[in-house]
Protein backbone atom coordinates (compact mmCIF):
# COMPACT_ATOMS: atom_id res chain seq x y z
CA UNK A 1 0.00 0.00 0.00
CA UNK A 2 2.79 2.43 0.80
CA UNK A 3 4.51 1.74 -2.50
CA UNK A 4 1.83 3.45 -4.63
CA UNK A 5 2.89 7.04 -3.75
CA UNK A 6 6.46 6.14 -4.68
CA UNK A 7 5.29 4.87 -8.10
CA UNK A 8 3.23 8.02 -8.61
CA UNK A 9 6.24 10.18 -7.68
CA UNK A 10 8.52 8.27 -10.04
CA UNK A 11 6.00 8.60 -12.83
CA UNK A 12 5.59 12.32 -12.21
CA UNK A 13 9.35 12.84 -12.20
CA UNK A 14 9.71 10.93 -15.48
CA UNK A 15 6.98 13.03 -17.02
CA UNK A 16 8.63 16.24 -15.80
CA UNK A 17 12.01 15.33 -17.31
CA UNK A 18 10.33 14.24 -20.57
CA UNK A 19 8.66 17.65 -20.74
CA UNK A 20 12.02 19.38 -20.25
CA UNK A 21 13.54 17.33 -23.07
CA UNK A 22 10.62 18.24 -25.34
CA UNK A 23 11.08 21.95 -24.55
CA UNK A 24 14.81 21.71 -25.19
CA UNK A 25 14.20 20.00 -28.52
CA UNK A 26 11.70 22.69 -29.45
CA UNK A 27 14.18 25.42 -28.52
CA UNK A 28 16.98 23.92 -30.64
CA UNK A 29 15.29 21.66 -33.18
CA UNK A 30 17.18 19.36 -35.50
CA UNK A 31 15.96 20.70 -38.83
CA UNK A 32 17.11 17.66 -40.81
CA UNK A 33 15.29 15.38 -38.36
CA UNK A 34 12.09 17.38 -38.84
CA UNK A 35 12.45 17.13 -42.59
CA UNK A 36 13.02 13.38 -42.37
CA UNK A 37 9.96 12.95 -40.12
CA UNK A 38 7.64 15.12 -42.25
CA UNK A 39 5.25 13.76 -44.85
CA UNK A 40 5.21 14.97 -48.47
CA UNK A 41 3.09 18.11 -48.73
CA UNK A 42 3.74 19.24 -45.14
CA UNK A 43 4.66 22.82 -44.22
CA UNK A 44 7.43 23.32 -41.66
CA UNK A 45 7.74 26.67 -39.87
CA UNK A 46 11.35 27.02 -38.79
CA UNK A 47 12.08 29.43 -35.88
CA UNK A 48 15.08 31.73 -35.58
CA UNK A 49 18.30 29.89 -34.97
CA UNK A 50 21.34 28.44 -36.67
CA UNK A 51 21.16 25.07 -38.42
CA UNK A 52 23.54 22.83 -40.30
CA UNK A 53 23.32 21.73 -43.94
CA UNK A 54 20.09 20.03 -45.01
CA UNK A 55 18.81 17.76 -47.75
CA UNK A 56 15.15 18.12 -48.75
CA UNK A 57 14.23 14.86 -50.45
CA UNK A 58 10.43 15.13 -50.44
CA UNK A 59 7.90 17.77 -51.47
CA UNK A 60 7.84 20.15 -48.48
CA UNK A 61 7.36 23.84 -47.77
CA UNK A 62 9.97 25.30 -45.41
CA UNK A 63 9.15 28.77 -44.10
CA UNK A 64 11.63 30.68 -41.97
CA UNK A 65 10.13 32.70 -39.12
CA UNK A 66 12.59 35.46 -38.17
CA UNK A 67 15.16 34.58 -40.88
CA UNK A 68 16.77 31.44 -39.45
CA UNK A 69 20.27 30.64 -40.72
CA UNK A 70 21.46 27.53 -42.50
CA UNK A 71 25.25 27.32 -42.51
CA UNK A 72 27.48 25.01 -44.46
CA UNK A 73 30.74 25.50 -42.59
CA UNK A 74 32.68 26.00 -45.82
CA UNK A 75 32.05 22.51 -47.18
CA UNK A 76 29.92 21.17 -50.02
CA UNK A 77 26.36 22.25 -50.65
CA UNK A 78 24.41 23.99 -47.88
CA UNK A 79 20.85 23.20 -48.98
CA UNK A 80 20.23 20.32 -51.39
CA UNK A 81 16.77 20.06 -52.95
CA UNK A 82 16.49 16.65 -54.61
CA UNK A 83 12.71 16.21 -54.80
CA UNK A 84 10.05 18.05 -56.82
CA UNK A 85 7.64 20.61 -55.34
CA UNK A 86 9.88 22.04 -52.61
CA UNK A 87 9.47 25.63 -51.39
CA UNK A 88 12.20 27.42 -49.41
CA UNK A 89 11.21 30.84 -48.11
CA UNK A 90 12.68 33.34 -45.65
CA UNK A 91 16.11 31.88 -44.77
CA UNK A 92 19.67 33.15 -44.56
CA UNK A 93 21.93 30.60 -46.25
CA UNK A 94 25.73 30.81 -46.22
CA UNK A 95 29.02 28.96 -46.17
CA UNK A 96 29.20 26.54 -49.09
CA UNK A 97 32.40 24.87 -50.22
CA UNK A 98 34.63 26.28 -52.96
CA UNK A 99 34.76 23.38 -55.42
CA UNK A 100 33.67 24.42 -58.91
CA UNK A 101 34.13 20.81 -60.00
CA UNK A 102 31.54 19.64 -57.43
CA UNK A 103 29.07 22.48 -58.14
CA UNK A 104 29.19 23.67 -54.54
CA UNK A 105 26.38 26.12 -53.85
CA UNK A 106 24.28 27.67 -51.13
CA UNK A 107 21.18 26.09 -52.71
CA UNK A 108 21.59 23.20 -55.15
CA UNK A 109 18.41 22.07 -56.90
CA UNK A 110 17.75 18.89 -58.88
CA UNK A 111 13.99 18.70 -58.25
CA UNK A 112 11.36 20.20 -60.56
CA UNK A 113 9.08 23.06 -59.53
CA UNK A 114 11.29 24.27 -56.69
CA UNK A 115 10.57 27.74 -55.26
CA UNK A 116 13.38 29.74 -53.63
CA UNK A 117 11.92 32.97 -52.36
CA UNK A 118 12.83 35.87 -50.06
CA UNK A 119 16.13 34.35 -48.94
CA UNK A 120 19.46 36.02 -48.18
CA UNK A 121 22.24 33.99 -49.76
CA UNK A 122 25.88 34.91 -49.16
CA UNK A 123 29.44 33.70 -48.59
CA UNK A 124 29.04 30.79 -51.00
CA UNK A 125 30.51 29.69 -54.31
CA UNK A 126 27.36 29.52 -56.46
CA UNK A 127 24.32 31.17 -54.94
CA UNK A 128 21.54 29.06 -56.47
CA UNK A 129 22.39 26.20 -58.84
CA UNK A 130 19.56 24.71 -60.92
CA UNK A 131 20.51 21.45 -62.63
CA UNK A 132 18.24 19.72 -65.20
CA UNK A 133 15.00 21.00 -63.68
CA UNK A 134 11.71 22.33 -65.00
CA UNK A 135 9.42 25.16 -63.85
CA UNK A 136 11.42 26.48 -60.89
CA UNK A 137 10.88 29.95 -59.40
CA UNK A 138 13.63 32.18 -57.98
CA UNK A 139 11.96 35.29 -56.60
CA UNK A 140 12.90 38.15 -54.27
CA UNK A 141 16.27 36.85 -53.08
CA UNK A 142 19.41 38.80 -52.16
CA UNK A 143 22.45 36.90 -53.45
CA UNK A 144 25.96 38.08 -52.62
CA UNK A 145 28.91 35.94 -53.61
CA UNK A 146 31.95 34.80 -51.70
CA UNK A 147 34.36 37.74 -51.65
CA UNK A 148 37.07 36.57 -49.25
CA UNK A 149 38.98 33.44 -48.39
CA UNK A 150 40.18 32.46 -44.96
CA UNK A 151 43.64 33.84 -44.26
CA UNK A 152 46.36 31.18 -44.51
CA UNK A 153 47.47 29.65 -41.23
CA UNK A 154 50.60 27.84 -42.46
CA UNK A 155 54.09 29.21 -43.16
CA UNK A 156 54.53 31.75 -45.95
CA UNK A 157 56.72 29.28 -47.88
CA UNK A 158 53.70 27.01 -48.35
CA UNK A 159 52.36 29.39 -50.98
CA UNK A 160 55.43 29.28 -53.22
CA UNK A 161 54.83 27.78 -56.63
CA UNK A 162 51.04 28.07 -56.43
CA UNK A 163 49.05 29.96 -59.06
CA UNK A 164 47.55 33.34 -58.25
CA UNK A 165 44.08 31.80 -58.35
CA UNK A 166 44.96 29.46 -55.51
CA UNK A 167 46.61 31.99 -53.22
CA UNK A 168 44.77 33.34 -50.21
CA UNK A 169 45.30 37.04 -50.81
CA UNK A 170 42.15 38.13 -49.01
CA UNK A 171 40.34 38.70 -52.31
CA UNK A 172 38.79 35.78 -54.13
CA UNK A 173 39.85 35.90 -57.80
CA UNK A 174 36.75 36.76 -59.87
CA UNK A 175 37.05 33.79 -62.23
CA UNK A 176 37.08 31.37 -59.26
CA UNK A 177 33.84 32.67 -57.86
CA UNK A 178 30.63 30.90 -58.73
CA UNK A 179 27.59 32.49 -60.29
CA UNK A 180 24.70 34.15 -58.52
CA UNK A 181 22.09 32.03 -60.31
CA UNK A 182 23.52 29.17 -62.37
CA UNK A 183 21.21 27.21 -64.67
CA UNK A 184 22.19 24.19 -66.71
CA UNK A 185 19.82 22.23 -68.93
CA UNK A 186 16.68 23.77 -67.47
CA UNK A 187 13.25 24.75 -68.81
CA UNK A 188 10.59 27.32 -67.85
CA UNK A 189 12.43 29.01 -64.99
CA UNK A 190 10.92 32.22 -63.59
CA UNK A 191 13.49 34.66 -62.12
CA UNK A 192 12.17 37.92 -60.71
CA UNK A 193 12.96 40.65 -58.19
CA UNK A 194 16.38 39.37 -57.11
CA UNK A 195 19.48 41.44 -56.31
CA UNK A 196 22.78 39.77 -57.22
CA UNK A 197 26.29 41.10 -56.61
CA UNK A 198 29.92 40.08 -56.02
CA UNK A 199 29.66 36.83 -57.97
CA UNK A 200 31.49 35.70 -61.09
CA UNK A 201 28.43 36.10 -63.37
CA UNK A 202 25.11 37.33 -62.10
CA UNK A 203 22.64 35.15 -64.02
CA UNK A 204 24.09 32.28 -66.06
CA UNK A 205 22.18 30.35 -68.71
CA UNK A 206 23.45 27.20 -70.41
CA UNK A 207 21.13 24.96 -72.47
CA UNK A 208 18.20 26.60 -70.68
CA UNK A 209 15.06 27.47 -72.66
CA UNK A 210 11.69 29.20 -72.44
CA UNK A 211 12.38 31.14 -69.25
CA UNK A 212 11.33 34.59 -68.05
CA UNK A 213 13.74 36.92 -66.22
CA UNK A 214 12.37 40.25 -65.01
CA UNK A 215 12.92 43.09 -62.52
CA UNK A 216 16.30 41.87 -61.25
CA UNK A 217 19.22 44.10 -60.22
CA UNK A 218 22.68 42.72 -61.01
CA UNK A 219 25.82 44.71 -60.20
CA UNK A 220 29.54 44.36 -59.40
CA UNK A 221 30.02 41.05 -61.20
CA UNK A 222 31.90 39.96 -64.33
CA UNK A 223 28.94 39.50 -66.71
CA UNK A 224 25.55 40.55 -65.40
CA UNK A 225 23.91 38.08 -67.78
CA UNK A 226 26.05 35.29 -69.25
CA UNK A 227 24.10 33.31 -71.73
CA UNK A 228 24.96 30.38 -74.02
CA UNK A 229 23.12 27.76 -76.09
CA UNK A 230 19.73 28.85 -74.75
CA UNK A 231 16.67 29.75 -76.84
CA UNK A 232 13.27 31.42 -76.57
CA UNK A 233 13.88 33.25 -73.29
CA UNK A 234 12.48 36.64 -72.26
CA UNK A 235 14.42 39.32 -70.32
CA UNK A 236 12.44 42.39 -69.30
CA UNK A 237 12.91 45.36 -66.94
CA UNK A 238 16.23 44.24 -65.45
CA UNK A 239 19.19 46.44 -64.49
CA UNK A 240 22.75 45.28 -65.25
CA UNK A 241 25.35 47.76 -64.02
CA UNK A 242 28.89 48.33 -62.71
CA UNK A 243 30.31 45.13 -64.19
CA UNK A 244 32.74 44.09 -66.91
CA UNK A 245 29.75 43.55 -69.21
CA UNK A 246 26.05 44.01 -68.73
CA UNK A 247 25.18 41.00 -70.87
CA UNK A 248 27.05 38.46 -72.99
CA UNK A 249 24.55 36.56 -75.15
CA UNK A 250 26.10 33.83 -77.27
CA UNK A 251 25.17 30.92 -79.55
CA UNK A 252 21.44 31.36 -79.06
CA UNK A 253 18.28 32.40 -80.93
CA UNK A 254 14.77 33.75 -80.56
CA UNK A 255 15.36 35.82 -77.42
CA UNK A 256 13.42 38.89 -76.31
CA UNK A 257 15.47 41.56 -74.51
CA UNK A 258 13.12 44.42 -73.66
CA UNK A 259 13.18 47.52 -71.40
CA UNK A 260 16.38 46.56 -69.61
CA UNK A 261 19.09 48.97 -68.49
CA UNK A 262 22.73 48.21 -69.30
CA UNK A 263 24.48 51.11 -67.60
CA UNK A 264 28.00 52.02 -66.45
CA UNK A 265 29.81 48.83 -67.43
CA UNK A 266 33.21 50.39 -67.92
CA UNK A 267 36.88 49.65 -68.26
CA UNK A 268 38.95 48.86 -71.34
CA UNK A 269 36.76 45.84 -72.18
CA UNK A 270 33.49 47.06 -70.66
CA UNK A 271 30.37 46.31 -72.72
CA UNK A 272 26.70 47.07 -72.38
CA UNK A 273 25.57 44.09 -74.49
CA UNK A 274 27.71 41.60 -76.42
CA UNK A 275 25.93 39.43 -78.98
CA UNK A 276 27.96 36.58 -80.42
CA UNK A 277 26.40 34.13 -82.91
CA UNK A 278 22.93 35.19 -81.81
CA UNK A 279 20.09 35.04 -84.35
CA UNK A 280 16.42 36.07 -84.75
CA UNK A 281 16.46 37.98 -81.47
CA UNK A 282 14.57 41.15 -80.51
CA UNK A 283 16.29 44.00 -78.66
CA UNK A 284 13.54 46.48 -77.89
CA UNK A 285 13.50 49.72 -75.86
CA UNK A 286 16.60 49.02 -73.78
CA UNK A 287 18.81 51.73 -72.30
CA UNK A 288 22.50 51.20 -73.12
CA UNK A 289 24.42 54.05 -71.53
CA UNK A 290 27.90 54.95 -70.25
CA UNK A 291 29.66 51.74 -71.26
CA UNK A 292 32.99 51.34 -73.00
CA UNK A 293 31.11 49.70 -75.91
CA UNK A 294 27.36 50.04 -75.95
CA UNK A 295 26.14 47.31 -78.29
CA UNK A 296 28.38 44.78 -80.06
CA UNK A 297 27.43 42.27 -82.78
CA UNK A 298 29.64 39.46 -84.06
CA UNK A 299 28.36 36.70 -86.36
CA UNK A 300 24.76 37.71 -85.65
CA UNK A 301 22.01 37.37 -88.24
CA UNK A 302 18.34 38.18 -88.60
CA UNK A 303 18.00 40.22 -85.39
CA UNK A 304 15.64 43.18 -84.86
CA UNK A 305 16.91 46.17 -82.91
CA UNK A 306 14.21 48.77 -82.23
CA UNK A 307 13.66 51.73 -79.92
CA UNK A 308 16.87 51.39 -77.91
CA UNK A 309 18.69 54.38 -76.41
CA UNK A 310 22.42 53.90 -77.01
CA UNK A 311 24.01 56.99 -75.51
CA UNK A 312 27.13 58.31 -73.77
CA UNK A 313 29.26 55.28 -74.61
CA UNK A 314 32.87 55.35 -75.79
CA UNK A 315 31.75 53.35 -78.86
CA UNK A 316 28.01 53.30 -79.42
CA UNK A 317 27.61 50.39 -81.84
CA UNK A 318 30.19 47.82 -82.91
CA UNK A 319 29.22 45.71 -85.92
CA UNK A 320 31.33 42.95 -87.43
CA UNK A 321 31.36 42.29 -91.17
CA UNK A 322 30.12 38.76 -90.52
CA UNK A 323 26.76 40.00 -89.18
CA UNK A 324 23.98 40.14 -91.77
CA UNK A 325 20.23 40.73 -92.22
CA UNK A 326 19.89 42.64 -88.95
CA UNK A 327 17.23 45.38 -88.89
CA UNK A 328 17.57 48.68 -87.02
CA UNK A 329 14.78 51.20 -86.46
CA UNK A 330 13.89 53.99 -83.99
CA UNK A 331 17.13 53.63 -82.06
CA UNK A 332 18.70 56.73 -80.52
CA UNK A 333 22.47 56.84 -81.07
CA UNK A 334 23.61 60.18 -79.68
CA UNK A 335 26.38 61.52 -77.43
CA UNK A 336 28.64 58.53 -78.08
CA UNK A 337 32.29 59.50 -78.44
CA UNK A 338 32.51 57.17 -81.47
CA UNK A 339 29.04 56.41 -82.88
CA UNK A 340 30.06 53.21 -84.68
CA UNK A 341 32.90 50.79 -85.16
CA UNK A 342 32.56 48.78 -88.36
CA UNK A 343 34.47 45.59 -89.02
CA UNK A 344 34.10 45.84 -92.79
CA UNK A 345 31.20 45.51 -95.22
CA UNK A 346 27.81 46.01 -93.51
CA UNK A 347 25.51 46.52 -96.49
CA UNK A 348 23.61 43.32 -95.73
CA UNK A 349 21.98 44.98 -92.71
CA UNK A 350 18.87 47.13 -92.89
CA UNK A 351 18.97 50.55 -91.21
CA UNK A 352 15.28 51.36 -91.46
CA UNK A 353 12.03 49.42 -91.14
CA UNK A 354 8.94 50.53 -93.06
CA UNK A 355 10.65 53.80 -93.91
CA UNK A 356 11.64 54.63 -90.33
CA UNK A 357 15.35 54.84 -89.53
CA UNK A 358 17.29 55.89 -86.44
CA UNK A 359 18.27 59.11 -84.68
CA UNK A 360 21.96 59.99 -85.13
CA UNK A 361 23.62 62.75 -83.16
CA UNK A 362 25.17 64.49 -86.18
CA UNK A 363 22.59 63.75 -88.86
CA UNK A 364 21.73 66.64 -91.18
CA UNK A 365 18.39 68.14 -90.14
CA UNK A 366 16.29 68.55 -93.29
CA UNK A 367 12.63 67.61 -92.84
CA UNK A 368 10.66 69.67 -95.34
CA UNK A 369 7.42 67.68 -95.07
CA UNK A 370 7.44 67.72 -91.25
CA UNK A 371 6.97 63.97 -90.77
CA UNK A 372 9.90 63.65 -88.35
CA UNK A 373 12.06 61.81 -90.90
CA UNK A 374 14.94 63.64 -92.52
CA UNK A 375 14.77 63.97 -96.29
CA UNK A 376 18.43 63.06 -96.83
CA UNK A 377 20.05 59.71 -95.97
CA UNK A 378 22.62 59.62 -93.18
CA UNK A 379 26.04 58.10 -93.79
CA UNK A 380 27.93 57.06 -90.68
CA UNK A 381 31.55 56.34 -91.48
CA UNK A 382 34.26 54.73 -89.40
CA UNK A 383 37.79 55.76 -90.28
CA UNK A 384 39.65 53.91 -87.54
CA UNK A 385 37.78 50.63 -86.98
CA UNK A 386 39.54 48.12 -84.75
CA UNK A 387 42.68 50.29 -84.68
CA UNK A 388 41.15 51.94 -81.61
CA UNK A 389 41.68 48.74 -79.62
CA UNK A 390 45.24 48.09 -80.79
CA UNK A 391 46.30 51.74 -80.67
CA UNK A 392 44.09 53.60 -78.16
CA UNK A 393 45.79 57.00 -78.70
CA UNK A 394 44.43 57.04 -82.25
CA UNK A 395 41.02 57.84 -80.80
CA UNK A 396 42.33 61.32 -80.00
CA UNK A 397 42.03 62.09 -83.71
CA UNK A 398 38.27 61.52 -83.76
CA UNK A 399 37.41 65.19 -83.28
CA UNK A 400 40.32 66.56 -85.29
CA UNK A 401 39.61 69.09 -88.10
CA UNK A 402 40.71 66.58 -90.75
CA UNK A 403 38.27 63.91 -89.59
CA UNK A 404 35.46 66.44 -89.32
CA UNK A 405 36.15 67.52 -92.90
CA UNK A 406 35.96 63.93 -94.09
CA UNK A 407 32.67 63.45 -92.26
CA UNK A 408 31.29 66.60 -93.86
CA UNK A 409 32.32 65.44 -97.33
CA UNK A 410 31.16 61.89 -96.81
CA UNK A 411 27.69 63.04 -95.76
CA UNK A 412 27.29 64.43 -99.26
CA UNK A 413 29.12 61.88 -101.41
CA UNK A 414 30.32 58.35 -100.68
CA UNK A 415 34.08 58.11 -100.37
CA UNK A 416 35.65 54.93 -101.78
CA UNK A 417 37.48 52.57 -99.45
CA UNK A 418 35.87 53.84 -96.25
CA UNK A 419 33.72 51.63 -94.00
CA UNK A 420 30.25 53.14 -93.87
CA UNK A 421 26.65 52.41 -93.01
CA UNK A 422 23.80 54.26 -94.68
CA UNK A 423 20.53 55.02 -92.90
CA UNK A 424 18.08 55.92 -95.69
CA UNK A 425 15.49 57.47 -93.34
CA UNK A 426 17.26 59.06 -90.35
CA UNK A 427 14.99 60.51 -87.72
CA UNK A 428 14.63 64.11 -86.65
CA UNK A 429 14.45 64.75 -82.89
CA UNK A 430 10.77 65.67 -83.34
CA UNK A 431 9.83 62.24 -84.74
CA UNK A 432 8.27 60.85 -81.55
CA UNK A 433 6.32 64.02 -80.79
CA UNK A 434 4.91 64.08 -84.32
CA UNK A 435 3.95 60.41 -84.11
CA UNK A 436 2.26 60.89 -80.72
CA UNK A 437 0.33 63.93 -81.97
CA UNK A 438 -0.90 62.10 -85.06
CA UNK A 439 -1.92 59.08 -82.99
CA UNK A 440 -3.90 61.35 -80.63
CA UNK A 441 -5.58 63.07 -83.55
CA UNK A 442 -6.53 59.75 -85.10
CA UNK A 443 -7.98 58.60 -81.77
CA UNK A 444 -10.12 61.74 -81.42
CA UNK A 445 -11.36 61.68 -85.02
CA UNK A 446 -14.74 59.91 -85.52
CA UNK A 447 -14.71 56.92 -87.83
CA UNK A 448 -15.60 57.63 -91.43
CA UNK A 449 -19.18 56.95 -92.50
CA UNK A 450 -19.62 53.69 -94.40
Amino acid sequence: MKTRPRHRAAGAAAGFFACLLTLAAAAEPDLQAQIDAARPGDTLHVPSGVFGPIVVNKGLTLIGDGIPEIRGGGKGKVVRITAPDVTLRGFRIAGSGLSLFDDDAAVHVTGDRAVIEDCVIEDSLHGIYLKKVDSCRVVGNRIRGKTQLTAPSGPVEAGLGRSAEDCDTGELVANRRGNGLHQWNCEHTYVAGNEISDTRDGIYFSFTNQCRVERNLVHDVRYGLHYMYSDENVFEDNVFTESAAGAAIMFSKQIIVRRNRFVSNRGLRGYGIILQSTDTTLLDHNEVRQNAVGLSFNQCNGNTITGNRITENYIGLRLGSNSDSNRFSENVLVKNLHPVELGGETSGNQWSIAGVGNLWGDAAGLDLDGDGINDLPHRELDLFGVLRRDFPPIALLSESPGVKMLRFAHARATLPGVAVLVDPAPLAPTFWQIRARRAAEAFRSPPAAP
Side-chain angles (χ1 to χ4, degrees):
M1 295 295 295
K2 293 182 180 180
T3 58
R4 291 180 182 176
R6 286 197 297 269
H7 286 303
R8 290 195 192 99
F16 176 74
F17 285 115
C19 182
L20 287 179
L21 291 174
T22 301
L23 291 173
E28 296 183 2
D30 184 338
L31 182 54
Q32 186 63 61
Q34 292 188 52
I35 292 169
D36 294 341
R39 294 175 297 179
D42 282 355
T43 296
L44 301 181
H45 285 267
V46 182
S48 295
V50 178
F51 306 92
I54 59 172
V55 178
V56 187
N57 56 7
K58 63 190 74 172
L60 300 173
T61 296
L62 277 66
I63 299 177
D65 296 331
I67 314 183
E69 296 187 32
I70 305 176
R71 295 181 182 173
K75 296 181 180 179
K77 303 167 181 67
V78 185
V79 176
R80 293 175 55 204
I81 296 175
T82 61
D85 302 307
V86 172
T87 294
L88 188 71
R89 180 183 301 126
F91 290 85
R92 183 183 299 274
I93 306 167
S96 81
L98 287 175
S99 174
L100 289 168
F101 181 79
D102 293 326
D103 300 334
D104 285 347
V107 182
H108 189 274
V109 181
T110 54
D112 293 341
R113 298 180 298 281
V115 177
I116 299 98
E117 187 173 14
D118 296 333
C119 291
V120 176
I121 296 171
E122 56 193 5
D123 191 33
S124 294
L125 189 65
H126 296 291
I128 299 172
Y129 195 117
L130 306 182
K131 185 174 183 179
K132 298 184 70 174
V133 291
D134 196 335
S135 301
C136 291
R137 293 172 58 88
V138 179
V139 179
N141 302 284
R142 172 68 176 94
I143 302 173
R144 186 169 187 264
K146 198 172 187 71
T147 57
Q148 290 188 331
L149 291 170
T150 304
S153 57
V156 174
E157 294 80 5
L160 295 177
R162 297 168 63 189
S163 71
E165 288 192 349
D166 293 328
C167 292
D168 298 329
T169 61
E171 290 291 332
L172 188 62
V173 177
N175 287 346
R176 289 191 62 230
R177 295 174 180 169
N179 302 314
L181 170 61
H182 185 108
Q183 299 179 95
W184 179 72
N185 204 3
C186 300
E187 304 280 340
H188 308 110
T189 308
Y190 180 66
V191 182
N194 303 283
E195 181 181 356
I196 302 174
S197 66
D198 298 298
T199 62
R200 178 175 57 188
D201 300 328
I203 300 173
Y204 180 86
F205 274 69
S206 181
F207 299 100
T208 293
N209 307 313
Q210 298 181 1
C211 301
R212 173 172 288 274
V213 178
E214 61 185 16
R215 296 179 288 103
N216 300 281
L217 170 61
V218 183
H219 59 94
D220 296 290
V221 298
R222 182 180 65 171
Y223 299 147
L225 171 65
H226 192 181
Y227 185 101
M228 296 188 293
Y229 309 109
S230 301
D231 304 329
E232 301 178 16
N233 295 297
V234 178
F235 302 87
E236 292 184 336
D237 303 304
N238 303 284
V239 178
F240 301 97
T241 185
E242 301 292 345
S243 301
I249 301 175
M250 299 180 284
F251 311 110
S252 301
K253 63 185 178 182
Q254 297 179 359
I255 309 162
I256 295 175
V257 183
R258 179 184 287 129
R259 296 189 308 273
N260 303 282
R261 299 181 65 221
F262 303 91
V263 181
S264 299
N265 300 288
R266 300 175 180 175
L268 183 62
R269 301 293 182 183
Y271 290 82
I273 311 175
I274 306 170
L275 291 104
Q276 166 75 46
S277 302
T278 298
D279 301 332
T280 58
T281 284
L282 172 64
L283 272 66
D284 180 58
H285 285 83
N286 300 284
E287 180 184 2
V288 185
R289 179 170 56 88
Q290 294 182 347
N291 306 283
V293 178
L295 184 57
S296 176
F297 291 85
N298 190 37
Q299 296 180 339
C300 297
N301 301 286
N303 300 293
T304 301
I305 301 94
T306 58
N308 302 282
R309 294 186 60 85
I310 305 169
T311 64
E312 302 178 44
N313 303 284
Y314 177 70
I315 296 172
L317 172 65
R318 175 178 289 167
L319 189 67
S321 61
N322 47 9
S323 293
D324 203 0
S325 302
N326 300 294
R327 308 192 308 159
F328 296 79
S329 179
E330 296 191 41
N331 301 288
V332 176
L333 293 106
V334 301
K335 297 183 180 179
N336 300 292
L337 185 59
H338 307 286
V340 298
E341 180 181 292
L342 305 176
E345 178 59 45
T346 62
S347 60
N349 297 292
Q350 184 177 337
W351 295 97
S352 67
I353 299 175
V356 178
N358 306 274
L359 178 64
W360 303 88
D362 56 351
L366 183 63
D367 180 19
L368 297 180
D369 57 4
D371 63 352
I373 299 175
N374 288 331
D375 300 328
L376 296 176
H378 174 70
R379 296 182 177 90
E380 190 64 56
L381 78 160
D382 178 28
L383 293 174
F384 304 120
V386 297
L387 292 174
R388 293 187 189 91
R389 279 176 279 174
D390 297 330
F391 307 101
I394 203 171
L396 298 174
L397 300 174
S398 296
E399 294 299 314
S400 66
V403 171
K404 288 183 177 180
M405 183 179 295
L406 286 173
R407 287 183 179 278
F408 178 83
H410 194 74
R412 289 148 181 83
T414 302
L415 302 177
V418 177
V420 63
L421 64 83
V422 180
D423 186 336
L427 304 182
T430 55
F431 170 78
W432 289 274
Q433 292 88 337
I434 293 171
R435 170 187 278 182
R437 184 176 69 246
R438 290 182 176 178
E441 290 171 353
F443 179 77
R444 289 194 299 267
S445 299

